[in-house]
Amino acid sequence: MLPWKRMLRPLAALLLTAAAVTGPAVTAQASAASSSGWNDYSCKPSAAHPRPVVLVHGTLGNSVDNWLGLAPYLTVRGYCVFSLDYGQLEGVPFFHGLGPVEKSAAQLRDFVDRVLAATGAAETDLVGHSQGGMMPRWYLRFLGGAAKVNALVGIAPSNHGTDLNGFTHLLPHFPGAADLLSENTPALADQVAGSGFLTKLNAGGDTVPGVRYTVIATKYDEVVTPWRSQYLSGPGVRNVLLQDLCPVDLSEHVAVGLFDRIVFHEVANALDPGRATPTTCASAFS
């Protein structure tokens, strides 16, 4: 293998980490999650919040760092909250969500089964950022998830892929680049607009019966582009633009998942629409 080919995986990780998952400088240990109130398998859902919430990180994210903001936000509001790692590649620590999306969806299936068994709940709600908002749709459509999921909330989800502001259109001009991307970081290839994976996922419609869908997008997204491609069509769908809730919110792809409390407020509304309150700029202080 040529030296530049051997460099593809770390190079792809470096570039996409800088673009998509810039976050806390130090990765927290998994124990931080349980000590902060989430991933507590003794948690029993309350009458007010009868479904556990499963958080699904994005590409190059992990079960802790992606949720240091949202998980505590939900736990203090009485939810049983869980998060998983998925899409791990051998030799790549901390930065997950890089494996084939179909296999990641199977990991999600198994994790949901574990959460439901532990909590005694019949259904769960899913909240995902970026790939984590799109990947569960494979689980819902092809792996029996629709019978076990009440709602899917996608924060800047890659539902119809991305052109990375046009950069993916350059792939055909570099012979072998697309194959190398697929071989070394399959999830990245799966999320390129027009990929075979996305074509199969979205064939026949974006939704499955019985599941409520919410998409929260920001017009300043620089990773999943164009940002309107995040929206879903079909019954039970609510598409939300962050700037319609708060015009001065400049959060981009990373911020909406990591620390934007206006987004968190809208997530809580989507999880419990019967108790929803208006999301405004003031929600940043709620």
Side-chain angles (χ1 to χ4, degrees):
M1 179 181 291
L2 294 176
W4 70 271
K5 290 185 178 181
R6 288 198 297 267
M7 292 175 62
L8 178 67
R9 182 178 295 177
L11 179 61
L14 177 63
L15 291 175
L16 283 166
T17 299
V21 293
T22 303
V26 179
T27 300
Q29 297 298 316
S31 60
S34 57
S35 66
S36 299
W38 89 90
N39 281 340
D40 176 4
Y41 284 88
S42 67
C43 186
K44 298 300 180 183
S46 65
H49 301 302
R51 293 176 299 276
V53 177
V54 172
L55 304 178
V56 190
H57 65 74
T59 306
L60 289 162
N62 62 61
S63 62
V64 177
D65 289 341
N66 219 136
W67 305 119
L68 292 173
L70 181 58
Y73 185 95
L74 294 176
T75 56
V76 300
R77 285 160 176 77
Y79 289 91
C80 291
V81 179
F82 301 85
S83 60
L84 77 156
D85 287 309
Y86 70 86
Q88 300 92 330
L89 291 182
E90 184 178 356
V92 181
F94 306 129
F95 301 111
H96 304 317
L98 290 169
V101 179
E102 290 185 37
K103 292 185 178 180
S104 294
Q107 290 179 273
L108 174 62
R109 174 199 60 199
D110 296 344
F111 187 80
V112 167
D113 286 347
R114 179 185 175 192
V115 167
L116 293 180
T119 60
E123 289 184 310
T124 187
D125 290 326
L126 306 179
V127 179
H129 179 218
S130 195
Q131 180 190 167
M134 173 276 292
M135 175 269 280
R137 293 178 49 230
W138 188 275
Y139 164 55
L140 297 178
R141 182 175 293 275
F142 298 112
L143 301 180
K148 301 176 182 180
V149 174
N150 169 71
L152 169 61
V153 183
I155 304 170
S158 52
N159 280 319
H160 298 95
T162 178
D163 66 4
L164 278 176
N165 284 307
F167 284 114
T168 62
H169 300 308
L170 299 177
L171 287 174
H173 299 287
F174 295 88
D179 290 338
L180 286 169
L181 191 68
S182 180
E183 291 168 7
N184 289 274
T185 50
L188 304 186
D190 285 344
Q191 291 178 88
V192 172
S195 71
F197 169 82
L198 289 168
T199 299
K200 184 174 180 180
L201 173 63
N202 293 315
D206 292 345
T207 63
V208 297
V211 179
R212 290 188 296 105
Y213 297 82
T214 300
V215 172
I216 304 172
T218 170
K219 67 181 181 181
Y220 299 112
D221 200 308
E222 78 285 24
V223 175
V224 181
T225 58
W227 65 262
R228 289 182 178 83
S229 69
Q230 301 171 24
Y231 283 174
L232 295 172
S233 299
V237 171
R238 181 169 179 261
N239 294 310
V240 180
L241 179 63
L242 175 58
Q243 284 72 35
D244 287 342
L245 305 176
C246 178
V248 298
D249 192 326
L250 304 181
S251 292
E252 40 63 69
H253 185 81
V254 176
V256 292
L258 293 186
F259 52 76
D260 191 311
R261 290 177 67 89
I262 297 172
V263 172
F264 296 172
H265 187 274
E266 191 63 16
V267 168
N269 280 347
L271 294 175
D272 191 359
R275 295 181 176 87
T277 58
T279 301
T280 67
C281 296
S283 300
F285 307 102
S286 64

